[in-house]
Amino acid sequence: MKNILEAKNLVKEYSQTQGFFSRTKNIIRALSHVSISIEKGKTLAVVGESGSGKSTLAKSLIKLIEVDDGSIYFEGVHLNSLTSAELKSTRRNIQMVFQDPYASLNPRMKIKDILEEPLIIHNIDEPSGRQKKIKQMIIRVGLEEDDLKKYPHEFSGGQRQRIGIARALILSPKLVICDEPVSALDVSVQAQIIQLLKSLQKEFELTYLFITHDLRIVRHIADRVFVMKEGELMEQGKTDIIFNNPKTAYTKELLTSIPGNRKLKRNK
Ligand SMILES: Nc1ncnc2c1ncn2[C@@H]1O[C@H](COP(=O)(O)OP(=O)(O)O)[C@@H](O)[C@H]1O
Ligand SMILES: [Mg+2]
């Protein structure tokens, strides 16, 4: 099968009540009939300005939030057709890396416990087997075995994101959804994390959905690009086609906002 995940016509609305006594509700349509296909073994970048619905899309795909309409298929199986036990085992195959690794790592847990938790939840291995997996993984993401005894606050932002990546990969998922994984990091550290993600993808044959508002990164990592605006798909296509021949004014705007990419604007 070529597509590992397909979603059709996703709709998600948030309602916000204004004021404590007010009955007026603001409806925000965060996803408006969005369909997306993620090709196995490839990297699909989802781009768009802040508030365009990227994180809502990511969370919908792994059922962290329920959509109001639409269907999601993982390896051809409709997620709503699964029992809760089947959904749990499917979830093992879809993991997420978040923007802010500090907020997503429990400050009171040692790294070894943070990495062991998903293994325990999914009943994987005996304690000794789990320890072996954890040690291999911490080294694979560029940290040391000694780091397992430490707490999240003892690490830099980049190191914490390495831990976030280790936690996502410890379950050997097939699809990893990265929601702005380097946006909170310094540019030099961003490059290292992108390199790490690329080498892990090769080694473990991962599929990535890579969400970012920063198009500089897209060129380095993505095979295809999916452009969102105000909850809708604007255009999608192969990375070089989106970069060299964007169809919509919105995508052109996103591209010209890349530092050092001003020439594009002047030449057109
Ligand atoms: N929990 C929520 N409650 C109400 N509105 C929300 C919630 N989460 C997101 N939104 C709104 O939905 C829209 C899309 O948000 P989001 O998916 O976070 O976009 P992005 O990740 O592209 O910045 C925005 O207008 C945002 O304010
Ligand atoms: Mg977001």
Side-chain angles (χ1 to χ4, degrees), residues 16-36:
Q16 285 177 324
T17 320
Q18 285 195 317
F20 194 71
F21 296 106
S22 164
R23 288 210 201 133
T24 48
K25 272 191 180 168
N26 247 351
I27 303 284
I28 297 162
R29 194 163 249 230
L31 295 178
S32 189
H33 300 281
V34 173
S35 298
I36 189 168

Side-chain angles (χ1 to χ4, degrees), residues 28-82:
I28 297 162
R29 194 163 249 230
L31 295 178
S32 189
H33 300 281
V34 173
S35 298
I36 189 168
S37 298
I38 309 175
E39 205 180 321
K40 206 177 165 135
K42 298 282 169 71
T43 298
L44 174 61
V46 175
V47 304
E49 62 197 347
S50 174
S52 55
K54 305 181 301 293
S55 293
T56 301
L57 176 63
K59 289 182 212 155
S60 301
L61 295 178
I62 58 169
K63 275 177 156 284
L64 270 180
I65 56 174
E66 283 295 328
V67 287
D68 299 309
D69 201 7
S71 27
I72 301 161
Y73 302 83
F74 183 75
E75 296 186 320
V77 179
H78 197 311
L79 290 189
N80 284 350
S81 73
L82 300 175

Side-chain angles (χ1 to χ4, degrees), residues 82-93:
L82 300 175
T83 63
S84 58
E86 288 168 337
L87 184 62
K88 188 178 165 188
S89 75
T90 298
R91 273 210 172 117
R92 185 187 162 181
N93 284 314

